[in-house]
Amino acid sequence: MERYEKVEKIGEGAFGVVYKARDRQTNAMIAMKKIRVQEDEGIPGFAIREISLLKEMQHCNIVRLLDVGFSEKSVYLIFEYLDLDLKKHMDSSPKFSEEQHLIKVRVLHRDLKPRNLLIDLRTNTIKIADFGMGRAFDIPVQTLTDEVVTLVYRAPEILLGSRHYSTPVDLWSIGCIFVEMVNRCPLFCGDSEISQLFKIFRVLGTPNEETWSGVTSLPYFKCSFPKWAPMDLAELVPNLEPAGIDLLSKMLCLEPGRRITARKALEHEYFKDLGMVPVT
């Protein structure tokens, strides 16, 4: 790792630190993610998954993994350096438009949020980063952990204890990000799992078997939950045009099986004037 010279710390999480650094060979700036290795456990599983997924994925909307290095106590992931994340961009740009950005996901990310969406200002491209919670999925869907996704962007099926979930959880997160880009604040912002669930139900209505088939059989569902009727999204997101409200309602559909897919979202009327490239 002598090839890279640390410039400054730009982020820190539960499992490691991210630095802005300089490549001494090319003089280019890179992002260095340092992950701690526990002496008795070896390289963490999430680091192995992230490396494996990023090695397989080469896409203009996914951050590029340039190199991997090791020391006795750490694993280093070297990424292309990007200017800022979506959260900082929204905070710093009063004229920011949600129509400027679009996400296409080919794997189950399980932690989509503004801070994990990086922006290349040279090409006005958004790139998905931090695949530590990422998972390649199979059909039928395997049993998965419910300890994923930052609370504000966590889908209701996960909050209700489902262990058999798939790509709809990422579409829910994208819907939450979509609202935040328009309103400049999250639509659902609980301080605990039950608080988050109730904030969702207050807006979208408390589900039952008629509105969400199978919901009553999920581990954490209670028939004693308060019964809320759905609210009008157009009143909660007043700056969003009708086509955007329609797309949002399809992303924030409580029943995951009826939630819009990424392909259908890209084909939605909301994007018709943006000159979208057909999905392959």
Side-chain angles (χ1 to χ4, degrees):
M1 300 310 297
E2 292 79 7
R3 172 175 174 174
Y4 305 105
E5 177 187 6
K6 293 177 185 175
V7 175
E8 61 179 327
K9 183 167 71 174
I10 56 177
E12 186 169 6
F15 302 107
V17 183
V18 180
Y19 297 94
K20 179 180 179 180
R22 184 178 64 85
D23 185 334
R24 288 189 172 100
Q25 290 186 12
T26 65
N27 209 37
M29 289 299 171
I30 54 92
M32 175 190 293
K33 184 175 183 179
K34 179 182 178 182
I35 301 171
R36 293 182 291 273
V37 175
Q38 301 297 327
E39 185 175 348
D40 55 342
E41 297 180 3
I43 300 173
F46 71 85
I48 296 173
R49 283 198 304 272
E50 182 168 19
I51 294 168
S52 176
L53 287 172
L54 289 170
K55 286 286 189 182
E56 293 180 8
M57 294 186 296
Q58 302 293 325
H59 193 277
C60 62
N61 295 117
I62 295 175
V63 67
R64 283 187 297 131
L65 178 65
L66 304 175
D67 196 4
V68 179
F70 302 90
S71 69
E72 185 177 346
K73 296 183 179 180
S74 301
V75 178
Y76 296 88
L77 276 59
I78 308 301
F79 296 97
E80 61 178 320
Y81 178 76
L82 296 172
D83 309 272
L84 74 170
D85 60 49
L86 181 58
K87 174 62 174 170
K88 292 177 182 176
H89 191 32
M90 289 191 291
D91 291 343
S92 64
S93 178
K95 295 183 179 179
F96 175 80
S97 166
E98 74 280 357
E99 295 178 355
Q100 295 173 358
H101 302 290
L102 182 65
I103 305 163
K104 174 180 165 187
V105 186
R106 289 187 178 273
V107 299
L108 200 56
H109 186 280
R110 302 198 297 180
D111 198 18
L112 288 174
K113 56 185 177 182
R115 294 193 183 280
N116 284 343
L117 302 176
L118 307 182
I119 297 173
D120 186 342
L121 292 178
R122 297 166 300 174
T123 59
N124 198 31
T125 301
I126 198 163
K127 300 199 178 192
I128 305 170
D130 198 345
F131 283 79
M133 289 288 182
R135 186 74 178 264
F137 62 92
D138 300 314
I139 302 296
V141 178
Q142 304 168 351
T143 300
L144 301 169
T145 179
D146 60 359
E147 297 178 358
V148 292
V149 189
T150 301
L151 187 61
V152 172
Y153 310 97
R154 193 176 302 173
E157 60 266 35
I158 298 178
L159 290 166
L160 287 170
S162 175
R163 296 296 185 91
H164 296 275
Y165 54 81
S166 186
T167 51
V169 302
D170 282 343
L171 268 296
W172 176 275
S173 298
I174 294 171
C176 293
I177 295 168
F178 188 20
V179 176
E180 192 170 344
M181 291 166 74
V182 180
N183 284 356
R184 300 304 180 94
C185 63
L187 183 58
F188 315 117
C189 196
D191 54 14
S192 66
E193 291 185 351
I194 192 64
S195 168
Q196 183 70 11
L197 201 58
F198 282 2
K199 285 184 179 294
I200 292 171
F201 291 168
R202 283 191 182 97
V203 171
L204 301 178
T206 305
N208 53 45
E209 285 295 327
E210 291 183 3
T211 60
W212 179 350
S213 178
V215 68
T216 58
S217 64
L218 292 176
Y220 303 149
F221 183 86
K222 305 292 182 186
C223 293
S224 58
F225 282 163
K227 304 299 188 294
W228 286 288
M231 300 174 68
D232 185 355
L233 282 176
E235 294 182 3
L236 297 172
V237 196
N239 294 325
L240 191 56
E241 62 188 82
I245 292 293
D246 183 71
L247 175 59
L248 180 61
S249 68
K250 288 176 166 63
M251 287 179 169
L252 296 183
C253 177
L254 285 173
E255 184 175 348
R258 294 169 52 214
R259 205 170 294 154
I260 194 169
T261 65
R263 181 181 297 274
K264 290 294 185 182
L266 287 169
E267 296 170 351
H268 193 273
E269 179 189 2
Y270 181 69
F271 297 116
K272 68 179 182 180
D273 296 327
L274 296 185
M276 298 305 303
V277 176
V279 184
T280 59

